[in-house]
Every structure is written in structure tokens, then in C-alpha cells.
Amino acid sequence: MLRRSAALGLIAVPATGLLSACATGGGGGGGDGATAPAGEKTEKNPLGVKEGAPLEAFIFKGGLGDQYAKDAEADYKATYKADVKHTGTQQVGPKLTPRFAGGNPPDVIDNSGADHLDMNKLSTQGQLQDLAALLDAPSLDDPAKKVRDTIHPSTVEKGRHGDTFDVLYYAFTIYGTWYSQKLLESKGWAYPRTLDEMVALCGEIKKAGIAPWTYAGKYPYYVHFNLFAQIAKIGGMEKWTAIDNLEPGAWTSNDAVRQVVEHYEELAAKKYFLEGSQGLTHIQSQTAWNRGKAVFLPNGSWVENESAPTTPDGFGMAVGALFDGTGDAMPHGTLRAEPSEPYIVAAKGANPVGGMELLRIMLSRKHAQNFATKVKSLTCVVDATEGMSLSPGLASASKVFKEAGDHLISLQLQEWYPALTDEKIGGLTGQLLAGELKAADWIRKTQAEADKVAKDPSVTKFKRTA
């Protein structure tokens, strides 16, 4: 999982990433037919990979590392007797912008992190390979099943630009409120069910000399992982869809927005955030949390792997589902869980077919389980971890995911308009949590920022129906 975040590679990114994609326009997502190598399509090579054709992979090396990708690349190399050039980096956008502009991008890219490429622009310009052939290819584990039948349906929904599926979100991130099960049990505290219970527990925690919450104040959009989903749970997906679609009054006319933002205003007013949180990076906030300086942390399921160097033995990392508010449209146990870690194949790369084949290899059960083992996170491959011995955080994430059933929340706003959510709204959220902005002002200003984007002809707009 924003699904993409600074130095993480999951859901959310600051606006600097948007400025790093000014690739030239081009044809549709079919690759450069004049130069791309093509091999014979067979039962074992359904996409028609050219044996011996080199492949270049550009992988974001953040909280998930890049060893899992290297492992898949090794299988590709052995199968197709081809050289694979691997680059692990946290500067995807700055390094690849000139290459897209020059017409020589790498074949497959894990487009994550603070400095990611703008996939909306790349898709509009025809720079992204249409991945329909990958979806319709037989899966590596069971040729009778297409790849599309082995992955979570939301993966296909989230990876579309219009009618074209051109982004594969490989990971499946569980977002929520993270905590130490050991700490809660040692203090006799129970994870709250409701927003009001959370406020009451925060009072007890503060009396015990511990800060109830901390967060990545330098990247306040981390709080949106919970805040946005909490609005969707209380108000319902229909009202959240209006927010995703930048509809007029979508923020100001939604009572769930008021409930949730006033909740955060109360947490700030009662000083329930660790002092100095507004100046912390994601790593620093996680470290403070691991050291017992704060009880709760808003984050995604990549946190277990990323914070491993500072997590003490027996910490009992766990995640809780969203809290109940008043008049909720969705039931208790509802969870924000959605595809993350966006992989793209360059349509004008030297070997786009090879890029798709690498993704097909990664979507095998073998490599989905390897990913879970290496980085303690789920993939979009359904039930890939069944029967595995899971780490505490991943086991907790899997448990709340199963308990949620069909009551899952997936949001698009941060994917479609990261400059809005991470820079503009993120700045307002930072002020809110610092006690410098009232809830009513946050809502009014957020609506104004959304309206600006809606009216800006230079911003490509997208629309969802549910």
C-alpha cells in the first residue's frame, strides 16, 4: 500500500511527484510495433515473449524494498534466457521523466513514492501499455484460469483509466489504526468500537503518561488514510463517490464529513497527539510509536516491514477497523482495503510484452507468497497466503480483512488528484491537527480547493459510478 506515500511506495504522494511527468504524447497503448520484439505464442508462452530479448525493470525501493521483484526477475531470466537490468530507486519520476520524453523508457516500472510519475498524464498521452492481454492470459498456476480470475476484482477497477486497464496495483493494503496488542493488554485497554469510545480511551491513555496518537506531520496526508475512509464508512460510498467525482458541495453537504473532522478537531484540542508530531517524518513517527511514546498510528500494512528495525520483540503489531459514528451507512467492521503499489508497462519500451510477462510471473502463487514473506504484506492475488505462517501485523491485517467481508472501502481521490489531497487538503489537515484550524474552516476550505480542481481545464478528470 498509498497506497503510495513518501519513501514508501503506496497510496498517497505529495504534489512534487506530479511535476515529474511531462512525457511527450504518442499513440495508443499497444507498444512500438516496429521495434518491440515478438516471439511465438505457445501454451507456456501465451503472451509471445521473444526469447533472449533483454528486459529493463525500474522498481521503487521504499518500505517494501525491491528483493521480491528481483526474485521474479530471476525466474524471468531463467525462463527466457534474457538479461534483466534492474534499478532500485526512490526517485522514479526524476529519473524516468527524461526517458519517457526521449522515447526510451524502461519496460516495467513500479511507479511509487514521493517522486512518482503522473500516471494520469502518461495514460492520456498513450504512454502506458494496455494490460488487457495480461488479464486474459492463463495464470501461471492454473492455465484453466485467466489472470483476471486470480486477482481481487477491485484491482481491475482501480487500474483503469477510462475503459483501459493500464495500471496493475500489485499489493493489497490494509489501512487503519495500528497499535501494539501487547501494550493494550498490559494496560487493560480494549480497542474502541466508536469515535466516542476512542476519545474516552484517549483520556485514559493521557492520564497514564502516554500520548494517544502520533502521525507523520511532515506528510499529513497519512492521516487521510483513516480520515477519508471514516467519512466513507459513516456517509456511505454514494456520498464518497460524489467527493471522488469533485461534485459541487460534496464535502460541505455531507454530515459524515462534519462528524469525522470534528472528531479530529477534538483530538487536537485535548492534546491527544504526541507533542512534536507535526514535525515528524513517517519513519520518525513509526519509531516513536514502536518505542511506546504513542499508542495509535494511522498507516497502511506496509508499516510492519518498514518499521521492523525499531520494532521490539513481542510488540504484537495489530490493526483495527474503522470506528462507528452516528447513523453510519456501513456496518461495524468496515475496512479500508484496496490495491496499491502501481506497476506500469511502458507502451514505447523496448520490450513491453516482456514487461507484461514479468507481471504474470509476479502474480503467481509462488511470488505472491514470497512477497508476503519478504515484506509482510498481501498482494492482489486472492487467498495466496492461505496456510502460511504470518507475521503479527500481517496476521492481524488478514483477520480484519476476512471479518470485513464485502464491507470494504476503496477510494480514488488520492489516486486521481494527489496534488489536491496531499498538498492542498494535506496542508489543511496539518493545521487541523496542530489546533490551528477549526473543523468548519477545514471543510469550507477543502470544498473550495476541490472546486478549483473541478474547474481547472488543465487537470484530466475521471469519474466513478460506485
Side-chain angles (χ1 to χ4, degrees):
M1 143 209 69
L2 167 351
R3 95 138 332 296
R4 214 183 60 200
S5 54
L8 290 180
L10 293 159
I11 289 301
V13 297
T16 52
L18 290 183
L19 304 179
S20 60
C22 53
T24 58
D32 186 344
T35 59
E40 181 183 357
K41 293 183 179 181
T42 65
E43 185 177 333
K44 292 186 176 181
N45 183 11
L47 294 174
V49 178
K50 178 70 173 179
E51 186 171 302
L55 181 73
E56 183 177 4
F58 220 86
I59 308 299
F60 178 75
K61 191 175 182 180
L64 302 179
D66 62 348
Q67 185 58 50
Y68 72 93
K70 290 180 179 179
D71 294 342
E73 291 162 15
D75 278 3
Y76 179 95
K77 183 176 182 178
T79 301
Y80 296 103
K81 300 177 178 59
D83 291 331
V84 179
K85 181 181 179 181
H86 175 98
T87 300
T89 182
Q90 292 193 12
Q91 295 182 308
V92 177
K95 290 186 176 181
L96 293 189
T97 294
R99 293 191 56 182
F100 270 97
N104 66 328
D107 302 303
V108 62
I109 302 156
D110 174 13
N111 185 37
S112 299
D115 291 316
H116 76 301
L117 293 157
D118 185 343
M119 295 186 295
N120 296 341
K121 288 185 179 179
L122 290 175
S123 180
T124 301
Q125 295 166 349
Q127 296 279 4
L128 302 187
Q129 175 72 29
D130 186 336
L131 301 178
L134 169 64
L135 290 179
D136 291 330
S139 68
L140 213 60
D141 298 308
D142 182 359
K145 281 188 176 182
K146 294 181 179 181
V147 167
R148 69 167 69 245
D149 297 325
T150 67
I151 60 180
H152 198 280
S154 61
T155 306
V156 179
E157 176 190 353
K158 196 170 187 69
R160 290 187 186 279
H161 285 101
D163 295 329
T164 303
F165 176 73
D166 54 15
V167 182
L168 173 72
Y169 288 88
Y170 181 64
F172 201 85
T173 298
I174 307 302
Y175 296 94
T177 300
W178 292 78
Y179 60 94
S180 163
Q181 186 65 48
K182 178 182 179 181
L183 176 60
L184 258 62
E185 290 177 351
S186 69
K187 299 293 185 180
W189 297 328
Y191 183 80
R193 288 177 61 93
T194 70
L195 293 173
D196 288 343
E197 287 179 9
M198 169 54 79
V199 173
L201 178 57
C202 285
E204 294 183 37
I205 293 171
K206 188 175 181 180
K207 288 178 183 177
I210 309 173
W213 286 86
T214 189
Y215 63 98
K218 286 192 174 181
Y219 312 111
Y221 57 80
Y222 270 65
V223 179
H224 296 165
F225 299 154
N226 281 12
L227 190 154
F228 288 176
Q230 192 70 62
I231 291 171
K233 179 195 182 299
I234 296 174
M237 284 307 301
E238 182 178 349
K239 290 186 177 180
W240 180 267
T241 296
I243 290 176
D244 274 345
N245 290 342
L246 303 176
E247 293 181 12
W251 293 95
T252 53
S253 64
N254 186 343
D255 185 66
V257 175
R258 179 195 59 76
Q259 282 192 52
V260 174
V261 180
E262 285 183 354
H263 170 74
Y264 280 92
E265 179 186 33
E266 183 176 6
L267 295 180
K270 293 182 176 179
K271 301 188 183 303
Y272 288 158
F273 294 109
L274 176 68
E275 186 176 354
S277 287
Q278 60 265 40
L280 300 180
T281 65
H282 55 293
I283 298 296
Q284 290 169 331
S285 64
Q286 291 164 189
T287 300
W289 172 63
N290 277 336
R291 291 175 177 170
K293 293 182 179 180
V295 176
F296 299 116
L297 180 79
N299 221 311
S301 49
W302 65 82
V303 68
E304 184 175 24
N305 189 62
E306 186 170 59
S307 67
T310 59
T311 304
D313 292 339
F315 186 77
M317 193 172 293
V319 61
L322 294 163
F323 307 113
D324 297 340
T326 301
D328 293 23
M330 302 182 75
H332 182 75
T334 295
L335 185 71
R336 181 179 179 185
E338 59 185 308
S340 58
E341 203 68 15
Y343 271 78
I344 55 178
V345 174
K348 299 180 185 302
N351 189 3
V353 173
M356 288 193 289
E357 178 65 8
L358 177 62
L359 296 182
R360 192 172 77 100
I361 291 171
M362 290 174 60
L363 291 169
S364 66
R365 187 175 180 85
K366 169 186 174 181
H367 286 285
Q369 291 190 345
N370 183 54
F371 184 83
T373 301
K374 287 279 197 313
V375 308
K376 304 178 178 66
S377 183
L378 301 173
T379 68
C380 63
V381 180
V382 176
D383 295 332
T385 58
E386 287 296 322
M388 292 181 64
S389 177
L390 305 179
S391 59
L394 182 54
S396 177
S398 298
K399 179 176 181 290
V400 294
F401 176 64
K402 289 180 180 178
E403 290 173 348
D406 293 333
H407 302 297
L408 301 177
I409 289 172
S410 179
L411 311 177
Q412 291 287 22
L413 194 72
Q414 287 176 287
E415 297 296 323
W416 288 346
Y417 312 109
L420 168 65
T421 59
D422 304 343
E423 179 185 5
K424 300 299 184 181
I425 303 178
L428 297 174
T429 299
Q431 294 177 52
L432 178 74
L433 301 187
E436 299 168 355
L437 190 67
K438 296 295 184 181
D441 293 324
W442 185 98
I443 296 169
R444 175 177 55 81
K445 292 184 177 184
T446 291
Q447 183 67 68
E449 294 296 345
D451 290 343
K452 288 179 186 177
V453 175
K455 295 173 183 176
D456 186 347
S458 70
V459 178
T460 302
K461 309 301 191 303
F462 300 93
K463 192 174 182 67
R464 66 185 293 184
T465 56

